[in-house]
Amino acid sequence: TVTDRERPREIQKARRLGAQILEVRIDRFRRLNEAYVLQKIRSLREIGLPLIATIRSRREGGGRDVSEEKRLHLFKKILPRVEAIDLELSSTRLRKILVGLARRQRKPVILSYHNFRSTPPDQALSRLILKGRKGGGDLVKIAVTPKRQEDLARFLLFTHRNRDQHLISIAMGRHGAPSRVLAPLLGSLLTYSFLNRPQAPGQLPLHRLSQELKVFSGKK
């Protein structure tokens, strides 16, 4: 995960450490005017890694309040310049507009859900996957907050059982930190890290995540 604060050489180092995709958290940019955002996207494209553009809503962990109209305008401008976008399941109006636009431009859409308080029951998690698929998501991202180790274990088991559902699984917070390493080994399609500062509770720095993934996956 990157913002507009990381320098190109830092991101190049991330690539050497094993980063394969850049999630661009535009909601955490210092400025959100169109020209500035597009210039930053152009700079990031020069790194040579695929870009996932995210303008996270405030209620689901965004860095600031950004109006729906502003988010929609920026997403429309950014879409041709990135490989995918991430949009909240709860952003119903934006989802209905942007999924269609993304389809026409053959860009994948991640539809995401964030719960910063708890880990819903498995039935509720299954309904989220179904809602995401019906809503046009190519991938569904579910981020939850375990309150105890048992919550994390259940969520990881859920991930494994649904590994064929194009799922991204994240457990946030202190109890969820191990999921950053374990979830991708159990079927989550992506895991997220950071270079300078975490963008979500429980994120591990990239150098540590890279080392632990190699250990747990048996790679040297």
Side-chain angles (χ1 to χ4, degrees), residues 81-93:
R81 297 167 171 83
V82 298
E83 278 63 47
I85 59 171
D86 179 324
L87 184 67
E88 304 83 16
L89 265 168
S90 61
S91 295
T92 306
R93 177 172 171 266

Side-chain angles (χ1 to χ4, degrees), residues 16-34:
R16 292 194 295 273
L17 285 171
Q20 298 176 337
I21 299 173
L22 297 179
E23 182 201 34
V24 187
R25 283 292 299 271
I26 295 166
D27 56 283
R28 295 187 181 271
F29 278 16
R30 286 168 286 193
R31 292 156 52 194
L32 287 181
N33 61 292
E34 178 186 325

Side-chain angles (χ1 to χ4, degrees), residues 3 44 59 69 76 84 99 123 160 162 167 174-176 218:
T3 65
L44 289 169
R59 66 179 175 273
E69 290 303 321
K76 285 180 175 179
V99 165
Q123 284 186 333
H160 186 59
N162 290 276
L167 183 64
R174 179 170 59 89
H175 291 298

Side-chain angles (χ1 to χ4, degrees), residues 75-211:
F75 267 126
K76 285 180 175 179
K77 295 295 182 180
I78 293 162
L79 187 57
R81 297 167 171 83
V82 298
E83 278 63 47
I85 59 171
D86 179 324
L87 184 67
E88 304 83 16
L89 265 168
S90 61
S91 295
T92 306
R93 177 172 171 266
L94 268 62
R95 172 164 50 88
K96 289 179 178 178
I97 297 171
L98 290 169
V99 165
L101 286 175
R103 286 284 173 276
R104 289 193 286 275
Q105 297 184 38
R106 298 184 179 181
K107 300 295 178 73
V109 177
I110 300 170
L111 292 181
S112 56
Y113 164 86
H114 303 81
N115 188 321
F116 294 94
R117 299 178 302 278
S118 64
T119 305
D122 286 5
Q123 284 186 333
L125 297 176
S126 294
R127 287 195 295 270
L128 287 169
I129 294 177
L130 182 60
K131 181 179 179 181
R133 301 297 290 173
K134 286 185 174 180
D138 298 284
L139 291 79
V140 179
K141 181 170 78 171
I142 299 178
V144 301
T145 304
K147 293 184 177 180
R148 52 186 182 172
Q149 290 181 341
E150 290 83 354
D151 292 336
L152 174 61
R154 175 171 62 82
F155 186 63
L156 291 173
L157 181 59
F158 176 86
T159 298
H160 186 59
R161 287 201 306 266
N162 290 276
R163 59 191 179 278
D164 60 344
Q165 296 296 315
H166 305 285
L167 183 64
I168 300 171
S169 293
I170 299 168
M172 300 181 288
R174 179 170 59 89
H175 291 298
S179 76
R180 306 288 178 167
V181 177
L182 298 177
L185 302 179
L186 294 172
S188 176
L189 295 180
L190 292 176
T191 189
Y192 295 76
S193 185
F194 69 94
L195 295 176
N196 294 326
R197 63 180 72 178
Q199 301 299 325
Q203 273 190 349
L204 303 177
L206 181 58
H207 68 276
R208 179 181 168 190
L209 177 64
S210 178
Q211 290 171 352

